[in-house]
């Protein structure tokens, strides 16, 4: 076999970059937990000064800063031996309420990888692994990764993109947030629309417990009811709006869930379906975002679906055609793409 050395070097360059990011994941999470990014944002510092600010050990902080600078996550000034963050670095690394929060993705990734032996064995057996069986950082990191996108888009653009929904929510509507996880989306909606009432449901009892506490902390517990229930078994009827945020593709039987959503909606109700950004064909997903989602799906989404009855395993890159087919088979007659971001596709589905 003849190896093209230029192509080999190009591939090894990609590998080195990937390996560096993999090794850096733990350091990013450390920076998140210890507040190192927040302490550095807007306040350049030498290692000893940053350590003093954060109550940490200066030798560890020095090594951490050097690694962060090598990866381009912070800037280094050799003339003063100090480190700083640009506005863009600080936005992505130090603000969990901004439009993107990079550390949350690494919390999710590290939690996910703890299940590697179990997933490797599932490759041999074809078995599944339920969402509830993963390390708790999967649930926490997932919310930290997706919540900033919801903050940036849910109220400002996604709800207004739906026909008549914003007016209903302002006047007072009944809303079902299905597969709500830790309740980030439910709480955001409840904060914005105080006249409406919300039911958040998830089959994972620990997530629901956390969601209830966070709703109470946010002062909206009086207008949200959280319940432990599957997507095909959540309670109530006569909903003006039902929503599934980044979870329909995880379900073993999304068709049963879709049918339940349809019967729970009012005749003029709306189902807001938010899914990961994906093309219908594999070739259209062979890009950096698709790479994230395919690999996360291998470890999380497909195993969860295969752990449940139903026969589906859509995966995180299912694409619009697959989601449309599920809703059509469930009896919905109207389906359109209402909005999109680099990470999400947003669909409006009606009976």
């Amino acid at each position: 076999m003849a190896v093209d050395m230029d192509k080999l070097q190009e591939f090894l360059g990609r590998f080195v970059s990937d390996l560096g990011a993999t090794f850096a994941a733990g350091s990013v999470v450390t920076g998140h937990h210890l507040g190192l990014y927040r302490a550095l944002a807007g306040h350049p510092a030498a290692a000893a000064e940053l350590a003093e600010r954060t109550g940490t050990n200066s030798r560890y902080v020095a090594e951490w800063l050097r690694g962060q600078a090598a990866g381009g996550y912070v800037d280094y000034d050799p003339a003063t031996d100090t480190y700083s963050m640009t506005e863009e670095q600080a936005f992505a690394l130090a603000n969990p309420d901004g439009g993107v929060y990079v550390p949350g993705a690494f919390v999710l990734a590290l939690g996910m990888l703890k299940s590697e032996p179990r997933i490797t064995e599932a490759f041999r057996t074809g078995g599944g692994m339920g969402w509830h069986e993963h390390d708790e950082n999967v649930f926490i990191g997932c919310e930290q990764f997706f919540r900033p996108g919801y903050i940036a888009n849910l109220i400002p653009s996604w709800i207004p993109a739906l026909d008549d929904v914003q007016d209903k929510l302002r006047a007072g509507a009944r809303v079902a947030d299905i597969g709500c996880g830790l309740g980030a989306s439910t709480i955001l909606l409840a904060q914005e629309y105080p006249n409406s009432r919300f039911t958040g449901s998830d089959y994972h009892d620990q997530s629901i417990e956390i969601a209830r506490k966070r709703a109470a902390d946010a002062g909206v517990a009086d207008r949200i009811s959280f319940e432990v229930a599957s997507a095909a078994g959540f309670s109530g009827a006569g909903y003006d709006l039902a929503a599934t945020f980044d979870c329909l593709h995880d379900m073993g039987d999304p068709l049963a869930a879709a049918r339940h959503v349809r019967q729970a909606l009012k005749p003029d109700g709306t189902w807001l379906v938010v899914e990961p950004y994906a093309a219908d064909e594999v070739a259209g997903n062979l890009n950096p975002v698709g790479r994230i989602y395919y690999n996360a799906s291998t470890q999380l989404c497909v195993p969860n679906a295969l752990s449940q009855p139903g026969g589906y395993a859509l995966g995180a890159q299912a694409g619009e055609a697959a989601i449309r087919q599920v809703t059509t088979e469930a009896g919905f007659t109207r389906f359109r793409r209402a909005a999109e971001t680099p990470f999400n596709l947003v669909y409006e589905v009606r009976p």
Side-chain angles (χ1 to χ4, degrees), residues 3-191:
V3 175
D4 185 314
M5 294 306 296
D6 290 337
K7 291 181 178 179
L8 175 62
Q9 290 303 315
E10 180 183 356
F11 174 78
L12 290 178
R14 186 179 303 121
F15 157 75
V16 168
S17 179
D18 290 347
L19 185 62
T22 303
F23 281 7
S27 291
V28 172
V29 173
T30 295
H32 156 74
H33 285 310
L34 296 178
L36 297 174
Y37 294 118
R38 291 192 300 275
L40 187 63
H43 304 282
E49 184 180 357
L50 183 60
E52 184 177 354
R53 287 180 195 169
T54 55
T56 53
N57 179 275
S58 62
R59 182 62 187 90
Y60 277 105
V61 170
E63 205 74 356
W64 181 85
L65 283 166
R66 292 162 186 164
Q68 295 298 296
Y73 280 33
V74 306
D75 288 352
Y76 175 62
D77 182 355
T80 60
D81 194 28
T82 59
Y83 298 83
S84 62
M85 298 181 74
T86 65
E87 293 292 335
E88 295 74 22
Q89 290 165 339
F91 180 82
L93 290 162
N95 181 11
D97 294 326
V100 61
Y101 188 58
V102 170
F106 284 101
V107 172
L108 169 59
L110 291 182
M112 175 184 77
L113 291 174
K114 290 182 181 179
S115 298
E116 176 274 322
R118 176 88 176 266
I119 299 304
T120 298
E121 182 60 22
F123 268 68
R124 299 187 178 98
T125 65
M129 181 175 181
W131 181 259
H132 62 286
E133 299 180 88
H134 283 277
D135 182 84
E136 67 174 358
N137 278 332
V138 168
F139 324 131
I140 294 169
C142 188
E143 189 223 24
Q144 290 173 341
F145 175 56
F146 283 107
R147 179 174 172 270
Y150 299 159
I151 291 173
N153 297 289
L154 177 54
I155 305 303
S157 58
W158 294 349
I159 292 297
L162 306 175
D163 291 339
D164 303 323
V165 169
Q166 184 167 250
D167 289 340
K168 291 180 180 179
L169 290 169
R170 286 172 174 168
R174 294 193 64 206
V175 181
D177 188 356
I178 305 146
C180 67
L182 306 191
S185 50
T186 329
I187 292 167
L188 288 172
L189 288 167
Q191 288 173 323

Side-chain angles (χ1 to χ4, degrees), residues 178 230-234 248 251-264 271 309-310 312 326-327 329-330 332:
I178 305 146
S230 72
F234 64 90
L248 187 66
M251 300 176 190
D253 198 345
L255 179 56
R259 286 172 172 157
H260 188 62
V261 170
R262 189 176 186 279
Q263 65 87 26
W271 181 13
Y312 283 80
V326 168
T327 64
E329 290 181 5
F332 289 92

Side-chain angles (χ1 to χ4, degrees), residues 119 122 127-130 134 296-308:
I119 299 304
M129 181 175 181
H134 283 277
S297 188
T298 301
Q299 301 290 320
L300 296 172
C301 309
V302 169
N304 184 70
L306 292 178
S307 75
Q308 302 172 355

